[in-house]
């Protein structure tokens, strides 16, 4: 049926099975859309947020997907600026994943505000002092960049490519992609950092606050660094999951290995900086505000934010995957590599969770208690919505666009095939 | 245009006098059109600009002691007006006014991102999770000097700014530019039957707040009165709400302290 | 299944495309212009007409006529109250001071007396300059303190012999005078528009010292409540 | 020309470009955001001229001066009057929420008559006519005493008109709702011979000993008491609270004595014991102005009141009792007060006498900083009404509540005894009951038995402006205007040590077809005719007020209040012209005996003690702002939380917030528990004022009413209601 749209030299599953898959994921998407409309119509009372938990699951999801979408800018940086040519075999997918992540982030942000119809005030009446302003501007700009990076991919569809204008457009866009990669890296540096600043500048919140270098708190750099480290891990993770789902090898091992190695060293440096930051925070910043480290982690029945979470974030999901990824033997073992990137991805998610959710759980006024929060189904549904949307977009892109340049080579068609 | 001298409006609440009766809360609700709901018992979902905390010394019966701590917006000055909430608002919906020292909140500008709520360590900022609804007829008691807030925006105590505006209006009509101390008082200070809340200009040595607190204005307004303290002094938020107490444990409950052992 | 080779039609179409180009180019331009013209027409003519509903004032008041008779100009009827507020549109009680009975055979005045004075019904004036509820506008500060003339914001209202129609924005419910009668928002006189930017513009010109930490301009609470 | 895809695309592109170049998208975006800033369903209060009207608050017996802010004809805010001697600018939460009562959608809008269990609107003519008809029948049957009237005050023109009506009609059964003043007034009469209310010069006392009084929980006139406590603080005075619970009052006291509940009287006698034993009474005063000290000594120096025995009874240490007595005696101006909680339950007469004796021993009676006998206002001087035979005969019958009887000769009103009286006989003693204030159907303890008793009355007429529990149970509701819509003279402010009269005025015109209760009385009198009509020569309540007040009317109207600033208490009016610790009347009283909580301690291991909070009221319910301000330690969702000590909770296996069932001999209810170190182990603290069967949706159906779980306890010395708690059981639910 749709074979005219499928890239040359590769095989795709029957349309029926594809549509069945889309229908299943689409049902999940629909569930999210229902929740979204419920929230738009009835308001944010549909969530379990409250006045102590003004930021919750959604902001975490935003921060997490943006961190994981960091694979796009960092791979682009490596490919176009640092000239790691091998990465051209994964850059398409990195861009696609980035696009999914960033569009999801914008979608969630649009749900998360109390007055979506005047959310544009953030641009029109921007407050230059606010990290969120910086995030909004850079995020929107970078989403534009990602769109520009994604367009040539769409144009490479077999049918679209037949139109000379689009073919030339795609070709020309490829030619100047380095400019966009550089712009993307620049923008990402700022908004990833600004997201770190979101909690880092809150001097009323000793758990989140990190003293600053110039105008930026340390979390500014830590977030950028961790996005650069964990973003590629997420790219690898999704690539591997895609390979499992399609039961095909899509990217050559040496490409993955190179990306994993770079990510590993990024993670090593990041986690070293993170440890320094944590120690300084625990020993200097927080005590100056009247808090000991254990004030943040104990006596919180119902919240369960024990010291385990710090150990999990820094040790299990930080140091461990970092060490794993820099070890060539681990990288060569598909299972261990998968585990390592998975841990690194979890580490980034955990870090974002802690910096937003735990920050608000910790009582600052001595006579207040720990605050607890569990998301409502509407929040969960709208957070899963982008996941479903991402899967669908990836599925369509994979099916109809030449995302993986090495796919045809790695999966030669049997004689008589296309 | 010449401008009157800058004010630094602030408040002193005598915790030894406060009885926790709640008149301040109710007076505030009536003055500022605070909405109410069928079930307002979850205080984290309820809007109340003034909240009276119940503090306990944590000792067993019969050594147990309690204290009530009314908490309006602290109107933090931070460093040069950069209070924790003001600088984070992406849409300039909240601002610090150097002329009055009041942290404003413009509901029609706010689009409900709630970053300011995450930034405020005092939990003075509250979100309108629901549309405000008044039972039929009761909307007649709404005060036209204060805008009614719509669902989806953050609100907080304004030191009854509308009372400042109307007092100034009266003064202008009478040909004056300056207000006497008693002309501008917040609803809570006016209502307090125990006389526990004193409000005025911290910059003005004749005002009672200044005389009680003796603020060290060169150092963020730190109180020189040894009985006075501010909530979370160590954070450097420099609030303009001061508390008085003679009880040591109450004073200690106002800030976090790393125990030196 | 379709033909596996699909490059042939694509290469065939290319010269054809070029061939069609010239003829189609004109059509394309024409359609572009058509679309442009239609949307401009919609945006500049139809949209404003749809956006505003027109209402007539309940009584056609003659400002010029009254202005000749009264002693204190605008302030004769629009005055400061003891509470510091501004009276705005007069209450019926004020009108009755002179209009207990019709003073002339002007049919509008007779109708006014019949419909409002006799039954004691307040006149539901439509206030051109009514600001949104979030706005705190102090007449005292502007008139008493700033010495600003009424006309600076309200225009030569006092010279009008008839009340112009009131247009209400169907979406916002506010008077068209706030956005201004020019749909593009172009203003020639200080009273042509009454949006926040216009307030801010005048405040900047008058060098009202700003107390805002965020904007270095006026504090928000100066004009909001 | 072919219209193909590309032409269409061009058209769309041109359209997009044109749209972008037109004001449409930009103006629309702006207007939509303006729409969100002014959603049509979010109300915008109309602007207008602000004016202030001074009046007097009549929501409680306090009589604070209020300043009502109006915008045009709307009441938007109620503030305290700065120049009012009682509250000096302060206001209590209820007073501040007063506008919500005015604008409550649950007000009764016109006279209602209950038909087949449902209220139907009737005209004033019809309602008054029908009630007059029943009254006429009763009179014709020669049983005018079967009419009773419950009011929340017996002072002021409205109350006096009601009482006068009953008198000329022929019924002695005018009953004031109970309060601590009942005991104090009797104590003043018995010891000082003065018919007066007790005022407390709290502002000038230097040592304040409160025996269970909720000074900060509604006792007396709250703003006055609050300010006085602040003054005590400023003067370095001392404030000691003896109470089983760490109430707000106890929390703000300089010293909290967590005595066993119900042991207040014993403690007072214990202190007297120490004072007398150690000779610490103020001898000059005692010698010059008192009589009967020997008798008091005989009474107080019993072994039962020795520090050790008192320690046993109160749960304090003997040393603490002795020290307290010494400190009290040593203070410059010591003052002891009693009347538990907000003072809505009178408590035992002997207990109040003990406290009053304590004051007398240290000379704190009718002096600065002491208990002051404030004479009842005398501006109401109407001629004695002409009574016909029926009325005279009716007035000779004993009161239905037993007040003034052989057994309780000094009691004036004993509403608590009414339920039992109603349950006697085949026909209830009361055939018609008028209720103007006090909401007895809610505020009387006794649970179902009380309800059953009151339900026996065939005709109940409520004057409540709101649909409260009493109104809901009534057969007619003749709604009075609210406190902001009517004239009312307000004599005295509860506990204020000077005579003061305030005037409440209509701040806004009545919203509904209501009628002041006094006007209903006048109309009823006119209907009944004859001597009844003749006793009421006034056109309306307002006219009556004008004539009654005479020249004072103009002053009151202008100023809003009149206070006797230079007031000096009158000399004692006993036979001896002295303060009498003993006399014949006192001797006839049943001896002091601490009253136990009803119930079998074996079956009910715990004791339920009710407490008051300013954020709830007994009679009025609570306007939405008060319910909103209610602590989550008291109300959580729809569940009331009861206070228990963690030790008690452990014994019962209850965690904080757990669901539990409380059972008393009177009834049972579901509650949630709140664990606090601020209550004595073995006690269960429960706020009064919830569990409403009527009122608005912000209050109705939330929690349970303590009164339904409590029993009526009769003080043997006076007949007054003296219940302070009841035995109870708490189980996990």
């Amino acid at each position: 049926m749709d074979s005219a749209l499928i890239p040359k030299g590769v095989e795709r599953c029957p349309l029926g099975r594809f549509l069945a898959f889309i229908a299943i994921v689409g049902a999940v998407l629909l569930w999210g859309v229902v929740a979204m409309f419920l929230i738009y119509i009835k308001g944010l009372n549909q969530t379990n947020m409250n006045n102590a938990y003004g930021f919750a699951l959604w902001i975490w999801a935003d921060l997490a997907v943006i961190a994981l979408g960091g694979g796009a800018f960092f791979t682009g940086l490596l490919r176009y600026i640092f000239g790691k040519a091998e990465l051209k075999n994964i850059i398409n997918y990195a861009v696609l994943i980035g696009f999914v992540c960033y569009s999801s982030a914008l979608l969630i942000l649009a749900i998360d505000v109390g007055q979506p119809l005047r959310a544009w005030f953030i641009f029109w009446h921007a407050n230059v002092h606010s990290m969120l302003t910086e995030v909004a501007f850079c995020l929107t700009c970078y989403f534009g960049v990602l769109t520009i990076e994604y367009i040539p991919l769409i144009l490479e569809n077999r049918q679209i490519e037949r139109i000379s204008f689009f073919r030339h457009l795609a070709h020309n866009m490829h030619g100047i992609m380095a400019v966009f990669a550089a712009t993307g890296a620049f923008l990402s540096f700022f908004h990833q950092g600004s997201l770190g600043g979101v909690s880092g500048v809150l001097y009323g919140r000793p758990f989140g606050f990190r003293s600053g270098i110039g105008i930026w708190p340390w979390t500014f750099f830590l977030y950028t660094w961790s996005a650069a480290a964990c973003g590629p891990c997420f790219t690898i993770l999704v690539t591997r999951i895609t390979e499992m789902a399609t039961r095909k090898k899509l990217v050559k091992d040496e490409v993955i290995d190179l990306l994993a190695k770079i990510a590993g060293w990024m993670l090593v440096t990041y986690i070293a900086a993170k440890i320094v930051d944590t120690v300084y925070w625990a020993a200097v910043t927080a005590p100056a505000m009247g808090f000991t480290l254990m004030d943040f982690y104990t006596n919180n029945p119902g919240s369960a934010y024990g010291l385990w979470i710090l150990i999990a974030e820094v040790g299990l999901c930080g140091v461990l995957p970092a060490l794993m990824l820099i070890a060539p033997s681990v990288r060569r073992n598909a299972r261990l590599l998968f585990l390592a990137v998975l841990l690194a991805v979890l580490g980034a998610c955990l870090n974002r969770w802690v910096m937003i959710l735990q920050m608000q759980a910790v009582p600052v006024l001595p006579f207040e208690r720990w605050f607890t929060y569990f998301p409502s189904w509407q929040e969960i549904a709208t957070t899963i919505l982008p996941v479903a949307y991402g899967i669908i977009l990836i599925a369509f892109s994979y099916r109809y666009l030449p995302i993986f340049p090495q796919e045809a080579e790695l999966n030669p068609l049997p004689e008589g095939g296309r | 245009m010449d401008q009157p001298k800058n004010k630094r409006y602030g408040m002193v609440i005598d915790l030894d006098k406060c009885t926790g009766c709640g008149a301040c809360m109710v007076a505030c609700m009536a003055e500022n059109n605070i909405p109410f709901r069928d079930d307002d018992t979850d205080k984290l979902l309820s809007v109340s600009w003034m909240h009276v905390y119940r503090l306990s010394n944590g000792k067993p019966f019969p050594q147990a002691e309690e204290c009530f701590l009314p908490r309006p917006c602290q109107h933090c000055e931070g460093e040069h007006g950069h209070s924790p909430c003001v600088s984070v608002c992406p849409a300039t919906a909240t601002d610090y006014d150097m002329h009055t020292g009041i942290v404003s909140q413009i509901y029609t500008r706010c689009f409900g991102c709630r970053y300011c709520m995450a930034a405020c360590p005092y939990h003075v900022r509250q979100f309108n999770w629901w549309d405000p609804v008044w039972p039929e007829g009761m909307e007649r008691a709404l005060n036209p000097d204060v805008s009614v807030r719509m669902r989806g925006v953050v609100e907080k105590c304004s030191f009854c700014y509308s009372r400042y505006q109307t007092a100034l209006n009266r003064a202008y009509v009478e040909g004056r530019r300056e207000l006497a101390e008693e002309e501008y008082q917040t609803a809570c200070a006016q209502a307090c039957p125990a006389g526990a809340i004193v409000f005025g200009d911290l910059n003005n040595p004749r005002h009672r707040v200044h005389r009680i607190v003796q603020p060290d204005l060169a150092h963020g307004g730190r109180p020189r009165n040894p009985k006075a303290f501010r909530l979370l002094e160590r954070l450097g938020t420099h609030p303009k709400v001061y508390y008085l107490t003679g009880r040591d444990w109450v004073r200690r409950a106002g800030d976090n302290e790393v125990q030196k052992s | 299944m379709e033909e596996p080779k699909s490059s042939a039609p694509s290469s065939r179409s290319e010269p054809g495309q070029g061939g069609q180009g010239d003829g189609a180019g004109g059509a394309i331009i024409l359609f572009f212009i058509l679309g442009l013209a239609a949307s401009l027409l919609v945006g500049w003519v139809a949209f404003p007409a749809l956006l505003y509903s027109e209402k007539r004032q309940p009584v056609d008041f003659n400002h010029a006529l009254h202005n000749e008779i009264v002693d204190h100009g605008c302030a004769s009827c629009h005055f400061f109250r003891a509470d510091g507020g501004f009276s705005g549109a007069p209450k019926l009680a004020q009108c009755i001071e002179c209009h207990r009975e019709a003073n002339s055979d002007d049919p509008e005045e007779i109708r006014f007396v019949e419909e409002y004075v006799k039954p004691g019904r307040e006149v539901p004036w439509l206030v051109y300059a009514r600001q949104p509820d979030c706005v705190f506008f102090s007449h005292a500060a502007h008139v008493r303190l700033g010495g600003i003339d009424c006309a600076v914001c309200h225009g030569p209202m006092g010279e009008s012999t008839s009340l112009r129609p009131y247009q209400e924005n169907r979406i916002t419910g506010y008077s068209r005078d706030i956005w201004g009668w020019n749909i593009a928002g172009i203003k020639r006189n200080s009273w042509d528009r009454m949006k926040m930017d216009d307030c801010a513009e005048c405040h900047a010109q008058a060098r009202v010292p700003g107390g805002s930490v965020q904007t270095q301009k006026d504090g928000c609470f100066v004009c909001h409540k | 020309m072919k219209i193909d895809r590309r032409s269409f695309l061009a058209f769309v592109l041109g359209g997009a470009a044109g749209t972008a170049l037109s004001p449409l998208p930009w103006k629309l975006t702006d207007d939509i955001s303006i729409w969100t800033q002014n959603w049509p369903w979010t109300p915008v209060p109309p602007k207008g001229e602000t004016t202030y009207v001074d009046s007097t608050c009549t929501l409680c017996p306090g009589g604070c001066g209020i300043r009502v802010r109006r915008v045009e004809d709307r009441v938007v805010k109620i503030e305290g009057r700065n120049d009012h001697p009682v509250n000096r600018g302060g206001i209590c939460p209820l007073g501040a929420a007063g506008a919500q009562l005015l604008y409550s959608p649950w007000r009764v809008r016109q006279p209602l008559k209950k038909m087949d269990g449902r209220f139907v609107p009737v005209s004033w003519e019809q309602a008054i006519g029908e009630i007059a008809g029943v009254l006429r029948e009763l009179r014709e049957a020669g049983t005018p005493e079967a009419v009773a009237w419950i009011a929340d005050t017996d002072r002021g023109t409205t109350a006096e008109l009601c009482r006068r009506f009953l008198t000329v009609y022929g019924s002695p059964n005018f009953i004031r709702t109970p309060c601590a003043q009942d005991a104090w007034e009797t104590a003043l009469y018995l010891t000082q011979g003065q018919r007066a209310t007790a005022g407390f010069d709290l502002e000038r006392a230097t040592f304040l000993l409160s025996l269970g009084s909720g000074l900060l929980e509604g006792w007396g006139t709250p703003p006055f008491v609050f300010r006085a406590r602040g003054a005590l603080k400023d003067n370095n005075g001392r404030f000691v609270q003896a109470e089983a619970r760490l109430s707000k009052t106890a929390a703000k006291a300089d010293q909290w004595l967590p005595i066993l509940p119900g042991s207040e009287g014993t403690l007072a006698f214990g202190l007297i014991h120490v004072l007398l034993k150690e000779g610490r009474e103020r001898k000059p005063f005692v010698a010059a102005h008192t009589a009967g000290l020997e008798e008091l000594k005989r009474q107080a120096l019993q072994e039962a009141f020795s520090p050790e025995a008192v320690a046993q009874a109160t749960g304090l240490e003997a040393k603490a009792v002795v020290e307290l007595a010494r400190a009290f005696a040593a203070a410059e101006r010591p003052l002891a007060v009693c009347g538990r909680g907000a003072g809505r339950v009178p408590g035992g007469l002997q207990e109040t006498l003990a406290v009053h004796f304590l004051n007398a021993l240290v000379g704190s009676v009718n002096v600065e900083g002491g208990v002051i006998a404030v004479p009842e206002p005398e501006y109401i001087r109407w001629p004695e009404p002409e009574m016909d035979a029926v009325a005279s005969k009716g007035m000779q019958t004993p009161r239905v509540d037993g007040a003034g009887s052989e057994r309780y000769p000094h009691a004036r009103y004993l509403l608590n005894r009414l339920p039992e009286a109603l349950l006697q006989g085949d026909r209830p003693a009361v055939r018609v009951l008028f209720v103007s204030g006090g909401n007895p159907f809610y505020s009387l303890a006794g649970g179902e038995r009380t309800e059953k008793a009151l339900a026996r009355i065939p005709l109940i007429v409520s004057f409540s402006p709101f649909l409260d529990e009493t109104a809901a149970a009534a057969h007619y509701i003749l709604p009075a205007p609210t406190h902001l819509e009517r004239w009312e003279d307000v004599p005295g402010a509860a506990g204020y040590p000077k005579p003061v009269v305030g005037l409440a005025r209509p701040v806004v015109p009545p919203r509904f077809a209501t009628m002041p209760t006094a006007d209903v009385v006048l109309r009823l009198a006119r209907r009944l005719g004859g001597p009844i009509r003749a006793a009421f020569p006034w056109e309306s309540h307002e006219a009556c007020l004008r004539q009654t007040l005479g020249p004072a009317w103009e002053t009151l109207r202008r100023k809003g209040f009149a206070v006797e600033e230079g007031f000096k208490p009158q000399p004692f009016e006993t036979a001896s012209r002295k303060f009498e610790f003993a006399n014949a009347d006192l001797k006839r009283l049943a001896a002091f005996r601490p009253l136990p909580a009803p119930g079998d301690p074996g079956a009910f291991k715990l004791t339920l003690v009710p407490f008051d909070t300013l954020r709830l009221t007994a009679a009025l319910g609570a306007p939405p702002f008060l319910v909103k301000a209610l602590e989550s330690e008291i109300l959580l969702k729809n569940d009331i939380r009861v206070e228990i000590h963690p030790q008690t909770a452990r014994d019962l296996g209850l965690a904080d917030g757990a669901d539990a069932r409380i059972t008393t001999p009177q009834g049972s209810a579901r509650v949630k528990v709140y664990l606090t170190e601020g209550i004595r182990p073995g006690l269960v603290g429960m706020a009064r004022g919830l569990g409403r069967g009527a009122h608005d949706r912000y209050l109705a159906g939330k929690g349970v009413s303590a009164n339904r779980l409590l029993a009526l306890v009769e003080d043997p010395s006076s007949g007054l209601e003296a219940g302070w708690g009841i035995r109870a059981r708490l189980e996990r639910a």
Side-chain angles (χ1 to χ4, degrees), chain B residues 6-7 77 80-82 96-102, chain C residues 210-213:
Chain B
N6 277 355
K7 314 287 188 294
E77 193 173 350
H80 314 294
H82 288 282
Y96 187 91
D97 182 11
M98 281 298 182
H99 293 325
T100 56
I102 289 175
Chain C
S212 163
V213 162

Side-chain angles (χ1 to χ4, degrees), chain D residues 325-550:
Chain D
R326 288 176 187 166
F328 186 73
E332 192 189 344
R333 287 190 294 274
L335 173 62
V337 299
C338 68
R340 289 184 190 84
R344 286 172 202 146
V345 176
L349 176 61
Q350 285 284 17
E351 193 175 282
T352 307
L353 278 168
V355 174
H356 198 39
F357 289 160
L358 193 57
N359 283 320
L361 284 177
V362 293
S364 292
V365 173
N366 279 359
V367 297
E368 187 178 312
V371 185
I372 313 272
V374 182
E376 302 196 2
E378 284 170 1
Y379 60 87
I380 301 176
R381 292 190 206 86
W382 297 328
E384 281 299 315
E386 295 258 345
M387 311 264 286
D388 64 8
V390 182
S392 302
K393 182 172 156 286
M395 285 301 288
Q396 296 304 312
T397 55
R399 280 175 63 98
V400 63
D401 61 355
S405 66
E406 189 69 19
R407 190 160 161 216
Y408 300 125
H410 307 294
R412 294 166 77 186
Y413 315 105
L414 295 172
L415 179 59
N416 51 308
R417 300 188 81 244
L418 184 66
E420 281 309 314
L422 288 173
L423 288 170
Q424 307 303 315
D426 298 338
R427 277 160 56 96
V430 175
R431 311 286 305 159
V432 178
L433 175 68
F434 292 97
V435 183
S436 59
N439 193 6
F441 279 69
Y442 175 81
S443 47
L444 262 184
E448 277 171 27
R449 195 170 166 79
T450 298
E451 268 171 35
K452 214 175 90 191
L454 293 171
R456 292 194 80 196
I457 303 172
L459 178 61
I460 299 169
V461 180
S462 162
F463 295 98
S464 174
F466 314 101
L467 195 67
D468 60 20
E469 288 80 357
T470 304
H475 303 96
Y476 286 93
I477 311 178
L478 306 182
T482 61
H483 67 306
L484 298 171
E485 301 166 303
R486 63 173 197 243
W487 292 102
E488 201 80 76
D489 47 328
V490 189
Y496 188 69
K498 284 175 194 163
V500 57
V501 181
L503 185 68
R505 73 181 72 224
V507 173
V508 285
R511 289 185 70 209
F512 303 118
T514 52
M515 192 184 290
T517 305
D519 282 313
V520 178
V521 169
L522 296 181
R523 288 223 195 174
L524 274 176
R526 247 172 267 156
R527 287 272 184 151
L528 290 170
I532 303 180
R533 180 189 185 125
F536 296 91
W538 303 284
E539 189 55 39
S540 66
H541 180 222
E542 194 185 331
C544 169
L545 255 181
R546 261 174 219 271
Q547 288 170 33
T548 305
L549 287 162

Side-chain angles (χ1 to χ4, degrees), chain A residues 112 118 130 198 203 205 368, chain B residues 53 82 88 110 114-115 118:
Chain A
D112 197 6
R118 49 180 140 110
S130 173
V198 164
Y203 69 98
R205 295 283 189 172
E368 284 193 320
Chain B
Y53 282 91
H82 288 282
V88 302
C110 172
R114 307 181 303 288
Y115 192 10

Side-chain angles (χ1 to χ4, degrees), chain B:
Chain B
M1 202 187 280
D2 63 318
Q3 182 73 12
K5 259 180 70 180
N6 277 355
K7 314 287 188 294
R8 197 186 243 113
Y9 283 107
M11 189 178 274
V12 196
I13 305 178
D14 189 334
L15 298 182
D16 295 341
K17 280 189 182 167
C18 168
T19 65
C21 72
C24 52
M25 296 166 76
V26 175
C28 171
M29 291 173 196
E31 182 75 45
N32 294 303
N33 300 334
I34 307 281
F36 45 88
R37 303 199 315 117
D38 286 8
D39 176 16
D40 251 322
T41 59
D42 185 344
K43 303 303 175 193
L44 289 176
L45 291 174
S46 157
V47 177
S48 182
W49 292 4
M50 178 66 113
H51 180 74
V52 179
Y53 282 91
R54 183 166 167 181
L55 276 55
S56 165
N57 69 345
K59 292 198 176 159
F61 175 91
Q63 281 95 42
E65 282 183 38
E66 281 181 357
C67 182
F68 306 97
L69 187 139
R71 187 237 47 211
C73 173
Q74 306 287 303
H75 293 277
C76 304
E77 193 173 350
E79 296 295 335
H80 314 294
H82 288 282
S83 77
C85 54
V86 159
S87 12
V88 302
C89 174
T92 332
T94 181
D95 200 348
Y96 187 91
D97 182 11
M98 281 298 182
H99 293 325
T100 56
I102 289 175
V103 177
S104 58
Q105 175 76 17
I106 308 301
Y107 321 112
T108 45
R109 174 63 69 77
C110 172
F111 63 87
C113 79
R114 307 181 303 288
Y115 192 10
C116 55
M117 290 167 61
C120 174
Y122 305 102
H123 290 139
V124 308
R125 290 178 164 273
Q126 289 137 16
F127 188 72
N128 283 276
W129 302 99
W130 285 269
D131 276 309
V133 179
W134 281 267
E136 188 215 329
M138 224 180 261
E139 76 283 346
R140 286 181 67 78
L142 290 176
N143 178 5
D145 296 338
V146 180
S147 326
V148 175
R149 283 75 62 186
M150 67 295 296
R151 178 234 285 176
V153 299
V154 173
E155 61 178 85
K156 67 160 197 77
C157 152
S158 66
F159 268 172
C160 286
Y161 196 81
S162 64
R163 292 169 71 108
Y164 182 63
Q165 289 174 324
T166 46
L168 269 184
N169 252 2
R170 265 195 306 276
Y172 292 160
V173 167
E174 290 164 14
R176 293 177 293 125
R177 299 202 63 173
E178 293 285 352
L179 297 176
E181 186 177 359
E182 67 279 1
E183 273 186 285
Y184 170 37
Q185 288 291 318
T186 60
C188 54
Q190 183 193 42
C192 181
I197 307 179
V198 176
F199 180 80
D201 178 10
L202 290 162
N203 279 351
N204 189 332
R206 285 191 306 277
H207 279 209
R208 284 208 295 156
V209 276
H210 183 100
R211 296 207 309 268
I212 296 170
V213 173
Q214 302 153 38
D216 182 354
L217 295 174
H219 294 96
R222 268 202 310 247
R224 288 203 191 85
N225 178 346
K227 274 182 74 184
F229 70 96
R230 297 187 288 189
L231 292 178
L232 304 175
E233 181 73 63
R234 279 186 182 78
L235 298 188
T237 51
H238 301 322
K240 286 197 292 298
V241 175
Y242 297 78
Y243 294 91
L244 291 181
T245 185
R247 289 201 259 185
D248 209 34
W249 72 266
V250 174
R251 199 194 160 81
R252 278 203 310 276
D255 200 358
N256 297 286
E257 217 172 338
V258 176
Q259 301 294 326
K260 296 251 157 49
S261 53

Side-chain angles (χ1 to χ4, degrees), chain B residues 15-20 23 31 35-36 38 41 43 47 60-61 108 131 140 142 150 163 190-191, chain D residues 37 41 69 74 76-77 79 89 91 100 226 229 234 248 252 615 628 630 637 677 697-698 702:
Chain B
L15 298 182
D16 295 341
K17 280 189 182 167
C18 168
T19 65
E31 182 75 45
F36 45 88
D38 286 8
T41 59
K43 303 303 175 193
V47 177
F61 175 91
T108 45
D131 276 309
R140 286 181 67 78
L142 290 176
M150 67 295 296
R163 292 169 71 108
Q190 183 193 42
Chain D
Q37 293 169 333
W41 58 88
R69 191 200 304 166
R74 302 186 295 118
V76 300
K77 179 94 189 293
E79 292 161 0
I91 193 162
Q100 291 198 318
F226 282 34
R229 191 204 150 263
D234 289 340
K248 285 190 167 142
K252 302 314 290 186
R615 301 185 196 178
K628 181 181 170 87
L630 203 58
K637 298 247 179 282
E677 293 286 349
R697 64 186 156 100
Y698 301 93
K702 293 184 178 178

